[in-house]
Amino acid sequence: MREKKYIVGNWKMNGLASDLMQIGEINAFCRRHATVESAVCPPATLIARAAQVNTDIAIGAQDVHHEASGAHTGCMSAAMIKEAGARFSIIGHSERRADQHETNDMVAAKAAALKAADMGAILCVGETLETRDAGDAIDFVAAQLLASLPNGASSDWLTIAYEPVWAIGTGRVPENSDIADMHAALRAALASKIGANSENMRILYGGSVNGGNAAEILSLDNVDGALVGGASLTAEKFLPILQAAL
Ligand code: 13P
């Protein structure tokens, strides 16, 4: 566990230049409050402009290709997003695992590409409602994490995000005890693979986090921060989450 909570906004396929002022307000809040750490992942089209002016927070990408270059129309390498100003990328989000058929192996390769470029990664894992209802959530997510984990995983560049698929954008949040149980299980799984460094690795919770539930979720054992979708799109909704993390 780390002292400072890490609150990351994932804008997904939302945001035009007129929305950059939202990131400006988030950045200004973080300049005033050193006890919370934040980052925003706008769409790739806004990374450069966001990174140029918002230096009190990190700007991240939402995805990266695992290869350095080549015939991959529409994709971006780690070096490209880094040059644009991204300091890290989200990888393995459930929407990409579902829509783009990304496998655990691909996610591990993306993580390795980021590490090779001296960048950070937020690696997402999470179960479907079907798996949760079958009582297999912890086994499934721990296995998914271990299978997606790159060689050389360490807390100085890698962050984990637990995002139950059924809690994303639905307003439904797991019971506090279920979040705590999952995060403890993920930390134990990390310990089995990387040893004592697992203590320092940040494990974020994501899925319908908002200003009303953030304080409670962030107070749970092994919850080091939050990965926020819908409530990160405006400063008005995001700042209360940062406030709850102070
Ligand atoms: P919501 O906060 O909109 O549920 O999205 C969570 C998420 O998927 C962040 O990556």
Side-chain angles (χ1 to χ4, degrees), residues 220-235:
L220 299 172
D221 277 354
N222 289 302
V223 176
D224 301 302
L227 183 55
V228 184
S232 73
L233 295 176
T234 61

Side-chain angles (χ1 to χ4, degrees), residues 201-222:
M201 192 168 289
R202 292 193 280 211
I203 307 178
L204 314 182
Y205 168 78
S208 296
V209 175
N210 59 45
N213 61 23
E216 195 175 330
I217 292 170
L218 292 171
S219 73
L220 299 172
D221 277 354
N222 289 302

Side-chain angles (χ1 to χ4, degrees), residues 22-35:
Q22 305 298 333
I23 302 181
E25 284 188 47
I26 294 162
N27 188 71
F29 181 95
C30 290
R31 189 180 310 141
R32 292 194 303 272
H33 298 93
T35 55

